[in-house]
Amino acid sequence: MSKDKPVPQGQTETSAVATVLASLAPFRPKLLETLPGYTRTHFARDVGAGLTVGIVALPLAMAFAIASGLKPEAGLFTAVIAGFLISALGGSRVQIGGPAGAFIVIVYGILERHGLANLLIATVMSGLMLFLMGLFKLGTLVRFIPIAVVIGFTNGIAVLIMLSQLKDFLGLSLEHPPAGFFAQIEALRLTLHTVNPAALGIALGTLALVVVWQRGLPGLTSDGRATLKTRVLSSRVLFAASRLSVVPGTIVALILATLITWALNLPIETIGSKFGGIPATLPSLAWPAFSWDGVRFLLMPAFTLALLGAIESLLCARIADGVCAARPPEGAPTGAREGAGRSTSEDRHDPNQELMAQGVANIVTPFFGGMPATGTIARTVTNAKSGAVSPVAGMVHALTLLAVMLVAAPLASHVPLAALAGILMVVAWNMGEWREFAHLRQYRLPYRVTLLAVFTLTVVADLTVAVEVGLVAACLTFIYRISSLTRSETVPQARPGVLAWRLYGALFFGAVKLIEDIERQLGEAGTAATTTRVLVLDLKNLLYIDSSGADTLRDLQRSCARQGVHLVLCGLSHQPLDMARRAGLLAGLPEENIRPDLAAGLDRARALAGAD
């Protein structure tokens, strides 16, 4: 007769490691899935989309860096390096990565409080957090962040971006704007008399041109009423408008503002006068000053960067999935539905792979003088609508920026900061969900309180505090809502001495008061003329029991034992049954007192009451 041999400790440890490794997300970039069936037609579409997005990203990359308190080349280096890595390693076919407006306030605050070296370290730390989030398959958990927190946070950041651009928008003589909301308001008030009319004119003209370009030209070339209203225009004008609408309005506004400033020699601050221009060289590797003592102060800023980067990138990827799915098949290359250009459910983004790619990009970019990077909604949508079918488009976008930076860097010295401020005003307005404020009355009080609290704290306090308070408020709201859905009701039956209750919902730490109320009524009934001899609990409609709920049931069981009351449990199944077994609740009851349904439980209760 053979006996089982003990497993060696080394083999046990190996199997445990293998189990852990099997539970991790595989590192498989979306680029690898696009290579089979990739054709020259697909490559041509990707190159066209990449060139378009590269032109769109050029002014935004510089503007985001300057608004964050960094030199313009920091934004360009980030758009090139992080943009290439996010596309090459990411989990989306059309996602474009790079510096984003949502990071402006956070980066500026870290830079003011901790310095440039610690900003780079915090960025690397956030990259490690993002990579681990993806590796341990936490990408789907980011979707559970309540929309009220996301909207309040985004709208608050949009307000802060607008506020930070007022200095350059108005051309004020303010060398080092403070980071705090009230401090900025006071600094702007004290320097309001130094408004530069030339800078204000350039900023207003840039803002107006970008808005008209975005909303006016599409109306001229769209179908429906807009076309009917413009029939008085000649066909040549309509044809020219359709061609112009392809050109990014930000580039047109930036070029015109630069030419006007240079031709008229306007007294306006430019990239050259403020930063000395942009280097026409490749970024070089540099190791930031590192101190273990300072790392502990960077944990929360790094976590804020990682959390916001995860939210932005996955939200952007979801929007990109929708845009790709809505693209009409007409005009697509032959075989696009079978190759790299399809938009079926299997081509939706991989959130875990996307987070790992974002993590790698944020780990690598700071060593080349870059800033935090994430998915960018405006550039991603532009990429998808321009016909991109694979991550190659994003890689082309990065190479386009690199080529422009190496060739046209001297021309960037003449770009007025007021024009970049006007562009950022439009970007900030577009990133905000302003209609949600008008619709607040349609929502319940907890939603309104959460959104307004996160928005207010983001603007007047601190972004990290806003995230913390928003998540806590969301958790408390969730607990309240779930506890309000958990209820109990008495089950009428004619047998004296029998008390029956039916429970609904989830029995967790926020709803244990239901069991406590039953225990209290049981004690009160014990002093009445008709003493309760049997307590029946129907748990068929109970979906979940946590450890606190199981402990409360154990307390009720002990209370029944002290008072000589028989406890009968009915309808336990799935998770509640498993929790009851692990908590020892079933072991303390006779097997006959555990019944499959309420009818059987009441029969058992009547038998016990009759026997007593």
Side-chain angles (χ1 to χ4, degrees):
M1 205 174 162
S2 63
K3 296 182 178 180
D4 295 333
K5 297 181 179 180
V7 179
Q9 184 177 358
Q11 294 184 12
T12 304
E13 295 175 353
T14 302
S15 61
V17 172
T19 302
V20 173
L21 292 178
S23 64
L24 300 178
F27 190 87
R28 183 173 176 80
K30 208 72 170 181
L31 179 64
L32 298 179
E33 299 180 10
T34 65
L35 296 180
Y38 194 76
T39 65
R40 291 182 179 179
T41 305
H42 297 147
F43 181 70
R45 293 179 64 183
D46 283 336
V47 169
L51 291 173
T52 302
V53 180
I55 296 174
V56 172
L58 179 63
L60 296 178
M62 294 189 295
F64 291 151
I66 294 172
S68 302
L70 300 169
K71 294 183 178 181
E73 59 262 29
L76 293 174
F77 292 164
T78 303
V80 171
I81 299 173
F84 189 91
L85 291 175
I86 289 173
S87 294
L89 305 178
S92 171
R93 288 178 176 263
V94 297
Q95 173 110 294
I96 300 295
F103 282 140
I104 289 177
V105 182
I106 302 176
V107 172
Y108 189 87
I110 298 175
L111 193 63
E112 285 289 310
R113 296 175 186 174
H114 304 286
L116 179 59
N118 285 326
L119 169 64
L120 300 180
I121 295 173
T123 305
V124 174
M125 293 170 60
S126 69
L128 291 172
M129 294 178 185
L130 284 168
F131 187 85
L132 292 176
M133 288 170 64
L135 186 64
F136 288 99
K137 299 182 179 180
L138 300 181
T140 55
L141 296 181
V142 177
R143 299 182 181 180
F144 295 114
I145 297 178
I147 190 64
V149 176
V150 176
I151 293 176
F153 195 61
T154 304
N155 287 6
I157 290 176
V159 170
L160 291 178
I161 292 175
M162 294 180 189
L163 183 64
S164 68
Q165 294 309 298
L166 285 179
K167 179 257 183 185
D168 291 326
F169 196 91
L170 301 175
L172 301 179
S173 299
L174 183 61
E175 286 297 324
H176 300 288
F181 173 76
F182 295 107
Q184 287 188 53
I185 295 293
E186 181 64 15
L188 292 173
R189 185 186 68 82
L190 294 176
T191 58
L192 195 59
H193 64 280
T194 64
V195 172
N196 186 336
L200 179 59
I202 290 294
L204 289 174
T206 301
L207 186 150
L209 181 57
V210 173
V211 172
V212 170
W213 205 273
Q214 289 180 351
R215 301 187 179 183
L217 288 180
L220 290 174
T221 59
S222 61
D223 296 329
R225 293 182 181 177
T227 303
L228 293 175
K229 292 180 180 179
T230 58
R231 284 180 178 176
V232 295
L233 297 176
S234 65
S235 59
R236 292 183 179 181
V237 174
L238 290 175
F239 179 78
S242 66
R243 294 305 181 192
L244 286 174
S245 63
V246 179
V247 181
T250 53
I251 288 293
V252 176
L254 197 65
I255 292 175
L256 290 178
T258 303
L259 290 176
I260 293 173
T261 303
W262 174 76
L264 301 179
N265 196 22
L266 297 178
I268 300 177
E269 200 169 33
T270 63
I271 289 179
S273 63
K274 179 75 180 269
F275 303 102
I278 297 175
T281 58
L282 295 173
S284 58
L285 179 64
W287 190 267
F290 180 77
S291 172
W292 284 109
D293 294 334
V295 169
R296 57 193 180 97
F297 298 107
L298 299 175
L299 286 176
M300 278 311 301
F303 175 75
T304 304
L305 287 174
L307 182 62
L308 182 58
I311 295 173
E312 283 283 313
S313 62
L314 296 184
L315 176 62
C316 179
R318 291 178 63 185
I319 292 175
D321 290 344
V323 174
C324 290
R327 288 191 302 195
E330 289 80 17
T334 304
R337 304 300 288 182
E338 295 80 27
R342 57 190 175 182
S343 298
T344 58
S345 59
E346 65 186 35
D347 294 319
R348 292 174 183 168
H349 74 279
D350 180 353
N352 298 314
Q353 181 62 41
E354 188 62 36
L355 289 183
M356 286 190 283
Q358 301 284 341
V360 172
N362 282 282
I363 292 172
V364 174
T365 306
F367 294 104
F368 293 90
M371 58 187 292
T374 185
T376 55
I377 295 178
R379 278 160 276 176
T380 298
V381 172
T382 301
N383 186 43
K385 290 186 175 181
S386 298
V389 294
S390 78
V392 173
M395 299 162 67
V396 172
H397 134 269
L399 296 176
T400 301
L401 281 172
L402 179 61
V404 172
M405 184 179 66
L406 295 178
V407 174
L411 301 178
S413 299
H414 302 288
V415 174
L417 298 184
L420 294 178
I423 292 173
L424 280 182
M425 285 289 187
V426 179
V427 171
W429 178 262
N430 290 337
M431 72 181 290
E433 298 285 347
W434 310 110
R435 294 182 180 179
E436 291 297 321
F437 289 124
H439 298 159
L440 278 178
R441 299 180 64 180
Q442 302 176 4
Y443 299 100
R444 294 180 179 271
L445 181 62
Y447 179 92
R448 285 180 274 174
V449 170
T450 301
L451 192 153
L452 292 176
V454 174
F455 172 77
T456 303
L457 289 173
T458 300
V459 174
V460 304
D462 183 80
L463 294 174
T464 304
V465 175
V467 171
E468 294 173 349
V469 172
L471 292 178
V472 170
C475 291
L476 293 177
T477 301
F478 175 78
I479 293 171
Y480 170 76
R481 292 294 299 159
I482 295 300
S483 63
S484 64
L485 295 176
T486 304
R487 61 187 179 88
S488 62
E489 64 181 19
T490 58
V491 179
Q493 42 82 39
R495 185 72 182 186
V498 177
L499 188 63
W501 289 84
R502 182 182 288 116
L503 273 63
Y504 298 86
L507 185 60
F508 69 113
F509 62 90
V512 295
K513 188 176 182 298
L514 294 177
I515 303 299
E516 295 173 351
D517 290 341
I518 293 176
E519 183 178 354
R520 177 178 52 80
Q521 295 185 32
L522 185 66
E524 293 174 354
T527 60
T530 304
T531 304
T532 300
R533 306 303 301 161
V534 184
L535 173 63
V536 180
L537 293 182
D538 180 16
L539 307 180
K540 178 181 179 181
N541 299 302
L542 208 60
L543 303 177
Y544 174 78
I545 299 178
D546 72 347
S547 57
S548 298
D551 289 341
T552 307
L553 288 175
R554 288 290 307 275
D555 293 339
L556 177 63
Q557 179 187 13
R558 285 189 283 266
S559 179
C560 289
R562 288 194 301 268
Q563 301 179 43
V565 177
H566 300 282
L567 177 62
V568 178
L569 300 181
C570 312
L572 275 172
S573 62
H574 304 299
Q575 191 275 340
L577 176 61
D578 179 65
M579 176 59 72
R581 286 172 177 166
R582 289 189 285 116
L585 181 63
L586 302 185
L589 292 176
E591 186 176 351
E592 296 80 6
N593 287 11
I594 303 172
R595 313 306 296 173
D597 52 47
L598 179 61
L602 291 178
D603 290 340
R604 174 61 179 170
R606 295 186 185 101
L608 290 172
D612 291 341

